[in-house]
Amino acid sequence: MLKFQSQPQSPHTPRSTKTSIMIIGGAEDKIHGREILQTFFKRSGGKEAKLGIIPSASREPLLVGDRYRTIFTDMGAKDIMVFDIRDRESASASQWQTFLEECTGVFMTGGDQLRLCGLLADTPVMETVRKKAQAGQITLAGTSAGAAVMGEYMIAGGGSGESPNRSLVDVTTGLAIVPELLVDQHFHNRNRMARLISAISAYSDRIGIGIDEDTCAIVEGDGLLSVIGKGTVTIVDPGNLLFNNEHIVGATDPLSICNLKVHILCHGGHYNMHSREIIIDPGQTGN
Amino acid sequence: MLKFQSQPQSPHTPRSTKTSIMIIGGAEDKIHGREILQTFFKRSGGKEAKLGIIPSASREPLLVGDRYRTIFTDMGAKDIMVFDIRDRESASASQWQTFLEECTGVFMTGGDQLRLCGLLADTPVMETVRKKAQAGQITLAGTSAGAAVMGEYMIAGGGSGESPNRSLVDVTTGLAIVPELLVDQHFHNRNRMARLISAISAYSDRIGIGIDEDTCAIVEGDGLLSVIGKGTVTIVDPGNLLFNNEHIVGATDPLSICNLKVHILCHGGHYNMHSREIIIDPGQTGN
């Protein structure tokens, strides 16, 4: 068994000049070290950053948008626009597209993921954001509800305190920015393991990731997922699923789901989403 | 991927005449079908059962002991003794040993597992119970606190709502009845996945099992673990652990622990503790 002996210093260590998709578990530090928000700022170009903030998940988009505007202004961003989109019609406005042409980073705030998808799924502005993020032309970050929407399928809500069962989680369609992931957030903080397992039993061709608060999974174009922040990223890989009674039991019956591979990664941990393997840095020694 | 198509009807289906160790996740049905308590009663010999009830985990041992006495009397047990042991000295009394000579089943109630171990660990009465259970001479059941004590190591307490970390769980010495298991109970009901994972990261030569309320893991002498009841038994197998930072981080730092194998089994599921494999019944078909 190998054990971490040091913080990894490998070619995979997040680099400030690389664009990426940042999936944040909510409640990221906004006051002290601001590690995750600083990383977003740096990856978006630092002082040269031209940032779009999408607060549409929130029912108080101006308030939430301004909070992030202030933070990134303090960091020194060159230009910031809050995309205050409150209905689907406004999502077609040309001003967003014009701004996105030169934009280097987009940040989606928390709120309600159903609201965010309802307002923005399949709109011109979100299509441009998705394509640019997937092409590595911008850094795209989402926190809480903004993280939930990253997969093709999205956990819209659910419960805890029960055995995994189908009624414990509501899964709907997300924004398909990183289609292969099924994301949950505020993860261990809100005891969401059973609901993520319930979801993955129905979508066993996906990878479940549960992201804790003030923690971020950084996804890069080559399928590398890296962890930064205070908590952990839990990866639930059903790739070797042995059996699963998901299709035959009633909605509230407990699920059987066997041979899940589970990894819990803290700051500095790396995972290859393509090979579905943990990456162990050469600097780490075993015992 | 194989899926359950029917309730398994295999040679491994629990048989009423076989002694076994029954690890119950607490809050077992005491009023309606009483499936788990009926199974204990039947495996202890049914109408021929001579049962010992150990209520020492509870601060109200007479009350708790009498409740189970009434239940098993109603079922028709031949003879029942409540082992009302409230200090270590009483644990040496000859009356318990005399009763145990002809005893066919012992039931350990809920309460506080530290209290149960404090009163009974390494006492003559518990040594006799342990040896008889391991030799298959009695059926031994424990619920809640009575389940927690089954391993050589025991989860004495802990928290939830946090990333797995060392301070999330207190592990101490159990009664070593099934030494290879590290048991947690009220499992999904009280969101205890993170604490079981925290515990198993420090005792990675054990198998973690989390048992839901009104659910029972039945362990037989050949290493077969079978599930009955309403919820699930979650098996956390660290046998292929890839790396683990447990020994180098601070008590409240998040743990990295990779390559856990996790199985969630509901009623009718079987697991071989020796080969660490799920047993798929021939009657089940795949797709």
Side-chain angles (χ1 to χ4, degrees):
Chain A
M1 190 175 68
L2 296 172
K3 292 171 190 290
F4 272 128
Q5 293 297 331
S6 62
Q7 288 296 329
Q9 294 295 333
S10 78
H12 299 300
T13 301
R15 279 169 290 178
S16 63
T17 53
K18 207 168 173 181
T19 61
S20 44
I21 293 168
M22 298 179 60
I23 314 175
I24 308 166
E28 71 283 354
D29 174 14
K30 297 177 189 66
I31 296 165
H32 300 104
R34 294 172 166 171
E35 180 192 13
I36 294 169
L37 297 178
Q38 280 281 1
T39 301
F40 168 73
F41 171 70
K42 286 180 192 161
R43 290 203 171 207
S44 300
K47 304 277 186 198
E48 298 302 312
K50 188 171 175 179
L51 303 179
I53 297 166
I54 299 180
S56 303
S58 173
R59 292 200 171 273
E60 299 187 291
L62 274 184
L63 197 75
V64 173
D66 273 351
R67 184 159 194 201
Y68 285 100
R69 187 207 294 271
T70 303
I71 289 169
F72 297 127
T73 301
D74 285 352
M75 290 181 186
K78 190 177 170 185
D79 193 3
I80 300 176
M81 178 180 272
V82 175
F83 287 35
D84 184 12
I85 299 170
R86 303 191 191 191
D87 52 65
R88 287 183 64 85
E89 204 177 331
S90 320
S92 306
S94 63
Q95 58 178 322
W96 317 128
Q97 297 291 348
T98 307
F99 187 87
L100 284 172
E101 280 170 21
E102 302 293 323
C103 181
T104 60
V106 171
F107 193 96
M108 298 189 290
T109 73
D112 176 351
Q113 52 264 48
L114 283 172
R115 183 180 163 83
L116 180 57
C117 285
L119 284 171
L120 290 179
D122 302 319
T123 59
V125 60
M126 187 47 72
E127 279 303 286
T128 303
V129 167
R130 186 176 61 76
K131 283 177 188 161
K132 279 183 166 270
Q134 289 175 336
Q137 291 162 358
I138 59 168
T139 288
L140 173 63
T143 186
S144 192
V149 299
M150 292 288 188
E152 182 175 1
Y153 297 103
M154 168 176 96
I155 294 178
S160 70
E162 289 177 32
S163 315
N165 68 83
R166 275 165 35 194
S167 71
L168 195 62
V169 65
D170 296 319
V171 180
T172 179
T173 308
L175 297 180
I177 292 157
V178 190
E180 59 265 55
L181 296 182
L182 186 57
V183 176
D184 210 347
Q185 356 77 42
H186 302 279
F187 190 65
H188 286 298
N189 316 80
R190 297 188 188 172
N191 293 308
R192 289 179 165 174
M193 183 70 104
R195 93 174 195 181
L196 181 58
I197 289 174
S198 301
I200 210 71
S201 76
Y203 296 90
S204 57
D205 56 340
R206 311 289 151 154
I207 302 171
I209 62 167
I211 307 173
D212 294 344
E213 293 178 356
D214 198 14
T215 308
C216 177
I218 303 177
V219 176
E220 283 158 346
D222 53 2
L224 180 73
L225 185 157
S226 304
V227 180
I228 63 169
K230 196 176 153 199
T232 57
V233 171
T234 300
I235 295 162
V236 179
D237 172 9
N240 297 320
L241 209 62
L242 191 58
F243 60 67
N244 178 3
N245 64 353
E246 198 275 333
H247 295 287
I248 58 158
V249 298
T252 60
D253 292 334
L255 293 168
S256 270
I257 175 167
C258 299
N259 247 26
L260 288 174
K261 199 185 277 188
V262 174
H263 312 289
I264 296 177
L265 297 178
C266 65
H267 186 96
H270 303 290
Y271 178 72
N272 185 322
M273 287 163 43
H274 296 161
S275 66
R276 299 197 174 195
E277 285 172 344
I278 297 296
I279 297 165
I280 298 173
D281 288 290
Q284 294 168 10
T285 57
N287 74 347
Chain B
M1 188 174 69
L2 296 173
K3 292 171 190 289
F4 272 129
Q5 293 299 330
S6 61
Q7 287 297 329
Q9 294 295 334
S10 78
H12 299 300
T13 301
R15 279 169 290 178
S16 64
T17 53
K18 208 166 172 182
T19 61
S20 43
I21 293 168
M22 297 178 61
I23 315 176
I24 308 166
E28 71 284 354
D29 173 14
K30 297 178 189 69
I31 296 166
H32 300 103
R34 294 171 167 172
E35 180 190 14
I36 293 168
L37 296 178
Q38 280 281 2
T39 302
F40 168 73
F41 171 69
K42 287 180 192 159
R43 289 203 173 207
S44 298
K47 305 277 186 199
E48 299 301 312
K50 188 170 175 179
L51 303 178
I53 296 165
I54 300 180
S56 304
S58 173
R59 291 200 171 275
E60 299 188 292
L62 274 185
L63 197 75
V64 174
D66 273 351
R67 184 157 194 202
Y68 285 100
R69 186 207 295 270
T70 303
I71 291 169
F72 296 127
T73 300
D74 285 352
M75 290 181 186
K78 189 176 170 186
D79 193 4
I80 300 175
M81 178 180 272
V82 175
F83 287 36
D84 185 11
I85 299 170
R86 303 192 192 191
D87 53 65
R88 287 184 64 86
E89 204 176 332
S90 320
S92 306
S94 63
Q95 58 178 320
W96 317 128
Q97 296 291 349
T98 306
F99 188 86
L100 285 173
E101 279 171 22
E102 301 293 322
C103 181
T104 60
V106 170
F107 192 96
M108 299 189 289
T109 74
D112 176 350
Q113 51 264 48
L114 283 172
R115 182 179 165 85
L116 181 58
C117 285
L119 283 170
L120 290 180
D122 303 320
T123 60
V125 59
M126 187 48 71
E127 278 304 285
T128 302
V129 168
R130 185 176 61 77
K131 283 178 187 160
K132 279 183 165 273
Q134 289 174 335
Q137 293 162 358
I138 59 169
T139 287
L140 173 64
T143 186
S144 192
V149 300
M150 291 288 187
E152 181 176 2
Y153 297 103
M154 168 177 96
I155 294 179
S160 70
E162 290 178 31
S163 314
N165 68 82
R166 275 166 34 194
S167 70
L168 196 61
V169 64
D170 296 319
V171 180
T172 178
T173 308
L175 296 180
I177 293 156
V178 191
E180 59 266 54
L181 296 182
L182 186 58
V183 176
D184 210 348
Q185 355 77 40
H186 303 280
F187 189 65
H188 285 298
N189 316 80
R190 298 188 188 171
N191 294 307
R192 288 179 166 174
M193 183 70 105
R195 93 175 196 181
L196 181 58
I197 289 175
S198 301
I200 210 71
S201 77
Y203 295 91
S204 56
D205 56 340
R206 311 289 151 155
I207 301 171
I209 61 166
I211 306 173
D212 293 345
E213 293 177 356
D214 198 14
T215 307
C216 176
I218 302 177
V219 175
E220 283 157 347
D222 53 2
L224 180 73
L225 185 156
S226 304
V227 179
I228 63 169
K230 195 177 154 200
T232 58
V233 171
T234 300
I235 296 162
V236 179
D237 172 10
N240 298 319
L241 209 62
L242 191 59
F243 60 66
N244 178 2
N245 64 353
E246 199 274 333
H247 295 287
I248 58 159
V249 299
T252 59
D253 291 334
L255 293 168
S256 269
I257 174 166
C258 299
N259 247 23
L260 288 174
K261 199 184 278 188
V262 174
H263 312 289
I264 296 177
L265 296 177
C266 65
H267 186 96
H270 303 289
Y271 179 72
N272 185 321
M273 286 163 43
H274 296 162
S275 66
R276 298 197 175 197
E277 285 172 347
I278 297 295
I279 297 166
I280 298 174
D281 287 291
Q284 293 168 10
T285 57
N287 72 350

